[in-house]
Amino acid sequence: MKGKRKGTIMSKWLKTNALLSHSEISQYIPMTQRLTSRNLSSMLAKYEMVYIKPERGTYGNGVIRAEVLKQGVNKYQYQIEMNKRTFKDYTSFFQSLKKVTKKRSYLVQMGIHLLKYQKRRFDVRVMVQLNPKAVWETTGIIGRVAHLGKIVTNYHSGGQLVNIEKLLSSHLSLNEQKSVIEKMSKLGVMIAKQLRQKYPDYRQVGVDVGLDVTMKPWIIEVNTNPDPYIFKKLADKSVFRKVMRYRGLKAPIRILKKKK
């Protein structure tokens, strides 16, 4: 299948479309389109800030933040890694972007203004796995804080792994924290169920969730081959042990059996 290799679904576009068909999940998916000059122009006009991502990529590599500037001579800006470039007009802005993206397939996604921890953006990884009873279960939730000055939160790109309660403590009361965490947990399970209807081979997914200032969870990305070792950073080692235990489970015969 195009966009898929053994062990993972590579295409962000395929995963997004699989989730958009679910009416409840779709409200948590930021507007996403293929990168073209027209699509980028219209999305910047509507949202002012967007993220441009390789359709196939890992660890936040190649992610670009693009925005319309409200002050100064230059009107457009994009940032990749820690490098920023500004432009006076859209044509030169897009031409420069095309030199970065080359002929690879990219997507443009509505920008989410993420909550911050110590002036650094953070998002949340929600790990969802099939348990021994073949029921989807959220087994781990951990916060990922971006390296100061960077636009991606990935641990492999210099991000920091932090307990989710610690990240939310300056924004929410204890009861509000529990409510938001429960909502992300349920959303993760819903996503796993929906994705497995389309791609039945998967037993675990890692959902990257971004929270905006209203505490609405946004589905930034879904990983079908999530890194389990990030949960080793949590003080509660039982989370990591469960993640690894479920990861090593073999699918029951009744799940693998194909219809004749």
Side-chain angles (χ1 to χ4, degrees), residues 40-175:
L40 178 58
S41 178
S42 63
M43 287 186 69
L44 280 173
K46 186 173 183 179
Y47 303 115
E48 296 186 346
M49 189 273 287
V50 298
Y51 282 91
I52 301 168
K53 305 177 177 183
E55 183 180 348
R56 295 168 178 81
T58 57
Y59 304 143
N61 293 327
V63 174
I64 304 164
R65 177 185 168 107
E67 58 190 309
V68 178
L69 301 175
K70 295 181 180 180
Q71 296 179 342
V73 176
N74 292 329
K75 189 176 180 182
Y76 297 95
Q77 175 179 282
Y78 72 77
Q79 177 180 351
I80 182 167
E81 294 288 341
M82 297 182 73
N83 302 313
K84 295 180 181 180
R85 293 199 64 188
T86 57
F87 304 84
K88 293 181 180 180
D89 62 89
Y90 182 80
T91 300
S92 57
F93 164 74
F94 188 74
Q95 286 177 346
S96 180
L97 274 174
K98 290 302 290 180
K99 290 179 181 179
V100 174
T101 60
K102 298 179 180 177
K103 293 184 178 180
R104 291 171 292 174
S105 177
Y106 271 71
L107 305 177
V108 55
Q109 186 179 78
M110 180 186 90
I112 307 301
H113 292 280
L114 299 174
L115 290 183
K116 292 185 178 182
Y117 172 76
Q118 296 180 348
K119 299 182 179 181
R120 294 180 292 164
R121 302 179 187 94
F122 73 84
D123 63 15
V124 184
R125 166 59 62 88
V126 180
M127 178 71 109
V128 189
Q129 299 171 287
L130 280 174
N131 66 20
K133 295 182 180 180
V135 175
W136 285 108
E137 179 182 337
T138 295
T139 50
I141 296 180
I142 193 168
R144 309 185 310 170
V145 183
H147 182 281
L148 191 63
K150 285 196 174 183
I151 59 174
V152 296
T153 61
N154 302 68
Y155 178 64
H156 300 278
S157 298
Q160 180 184 1
L161 300 168
V162 181
N163 181 286
I164 183 60
E165 287 85 0
K166 185 175 182 179
L167 296 180
L168 295 177
S169 62
S170 61
H171 299 279
L172 299 169
S173 68
L174 190 58
N175 285 336

